[in-house]
Structure formats: C-alpha cells, structure tokens
Amino acid sequence: EVLRKGTSKRRYLLIHGDEETARQVLRRHMKSNAGIAHLVTGHKREVALRGGLLDPNRMFSREGADRNLKLLNPDWTPARINASLDALDRGRGKLISALTPPPGGLLVAVHNNSHGYSVETEIPISDQVSLRDAANPHEFFLATDPSDFRILARSPYNAVLQNKAPREDDGSLSRLMAKRGARYANLEVALGKLDKQIEMLDWLERNLP
C-alpha cells in the first residue's frame, strides 16, 4: 500500500504487518506530512514466499535472505531455497529503488517491539550510542547517517548510529542503507505505546532536515 502526500524527499516504511501501533502512527503522520509511505498489507510478521515464510526485513541481501529462509523453513531443500533466493533477486532492485529516498532525502522506518528486543540489543553492534532515556530501552532511534545521529543524540530519546557494515550481513534494510550511504532512520517503540511513537516521530519530523 502506497500513501502519497505533497512533494517531499521523505520516504516512510512499515515493513512488519503485526506492528499495528506503528501502522496507526504512520497513517496518522501521512495525513499532515508530505512524502511517500509504503505499508505492508498483511498483518503478520512474516510474509508468504513460494509456500514458505520470510521475514521481509531480512530480504534486502541474498545472504540475509538465505539465512532467514533456512531459519523459518528448516524442511526446505537447498534447491527450493535457491529458487526462492533467485526470485527475490529478480524483484529486489525494483523494491529498493522505490524505497530509497532521492539524494539528500530521508527514509524513516517505523517499528514496534514486543519480544525483548531493545536498544540494548543494538548497542554491541553500533558505532555510537546516546542513552538519554535509558529507563525506557524499548524506545529508540537507529540512524545510518552521522549527521542525523548527532541531532537525534540531542533529543530526549535513546539513539544509536550504525554506519559501518558488520561482518555478518543480516539482510536488513538499515544495513543496506548504511552500505549505500543513504540516510535512514528507524523508530522503535514498544507495541501499544501509540502516543509515545507519535511524539517521537513528530520530534524527528521537526528536527531532521
């Protein structure tokens, strides 16, 4: 599903269908802010692929997708995995092109967490960290651009910078954007905290160029 409003270099994404708080927040945001938003239409975390399952935020590299397909479909044969990877390879470029902001633009992904994931998970693999709200580790920004991180680090919220690719490619969009030098910001908030996610997204909108 694509929502468009006005003319802007902002791009927005909801990639996990079960993150319903983020879906509500992004829909609300697009009523009063310019940009293009892409929202997954399903309401489950994984998406169906050739009779199996795939985490859509692990499909942005062949390596990451390969690892995720093996994890979620342990009974698949190598031939079936390779056929699915080939299908993803054929469609990946078009999707990435649609999601990538124009030069100088920003891609904002909205996420919810509910399974123990928090900023503490990201600290060991981050290049810089700012914990302005350490008592609420489930609410944080993840940025791939150092200039964006410096601004986010001055906010009253937690923030991490990840602009250097790790040895292991997990297939996530944040790692792809970091590798390409594109501006990307991920907004993570615990599932159900609607007002908090609205507040943080509004702060980002006002303060990031």
Side-chain angles (χ1 to χ4, degrees):
E1 179 184 5
V2 182
L3 304 177
R4 301 174 184 268
K5 183 176 178 64
T7 302
S8 171
K9 291 184 177 182
R10 290 275 207 259
R11 301 292 181 267
Y12 303 90
L13 175 65
L14 172 78
I15 199 164
H16 285 137
D18 64 340
E19 297 177 356
E20 297 295 353
T21 304
R23 187 190 302 273
Q24 294 178 57
V25 169
L26 185 52
R27 285 187 177 281
R28 173 190 179 277
H29 193 75
M30 293 305 297
K31 291 179 180 179
S32 56
N33 293 276
I36 301 174
H38 291 80
L39 298 86
V40 66
T41 55
H43 294 275
K44 295 181 179 180
R45 183 173 184 83
E46 289 84 20
V47 296
L49 177 67
R50 301 171 73 89
L53 295 174
L54 172 71
D55 183 330
N57 199 32
R58 292 293 179 266
M59 66 180 179
F60 292 98
S61 73
R62 187 179 178 99
E63 179 183 345
D66 178 52
R67 187 177 296 111
N68 191 250
L69 286 172
K70 290 174 180 175
L71 174 67
L72 297 180
N73 309 282
D75 59 332
W76 275 21
T77 64
R80 190 172 181 182
I81 288 175
N82 284 329
S84 297
L85 292 173
D86 290 344
L88 289 170
D89 288 346
R90 290 191 292 272
R92 186 181 294 112
K94 183 178 179 180
L95 175 62
I96 292 173
S97 178
L99 297 178
T100 301
L106 173 68
L107 171 59
V108 180
V110 289
H111 283 275
N112 295 137
N113 56 73
S114 59
H115 304 291
Y117 175 72
S118 73
V119 70
E120 295 170 357
T121 310
E122 298 293 348
I123 288 174
I125 56 173
S126 296
D127 302 298
Q128 294 186 54
V129 177
S130 173
L131 299 179
R132 293 292 186 93
D133 189 22
N136 293 292
H138 294 280
E139 284 74 65
F140 66 96
F141 292 110
L142 184 156
T144 60
D145 181 85
S147 296
D148 290 336
F149 171 78
R150 285 192 289 271
I151 294 172
L152 294 170
R154 297 196 296 267
S155 77
Y157 313 111
N158 302 314
V160 296
L161 171 68
Q162 293 182 2
N163 67 330
K164 296 177 182 176
R167 293 179 180 178
E168 186 176 281
D169 183 351
D170 65 2
S172 65
L173 185 57
S174 63
R175 287 304 180 185
L176 176 67
M177 293 294 107
K179 183 178 180 180
R180 293 190 168 199
R183 294 177 62 214
Y184 170 95
N186 176 24
L187 169 56
E188 277 279 356
V189 174
L191 187 68
K193 287 194 172 183
L194 181 72
D195 291 342
K196 184 71 170 185
Q197 194 153 27
I198 289 172
E199 173 189 317
M200 292 178 70
L201 184 55
D202 286 349
W203 194 97
L204 180 151
E205 191 69 44
R206 293 193 308 269
N207 290 277
L208 288 190

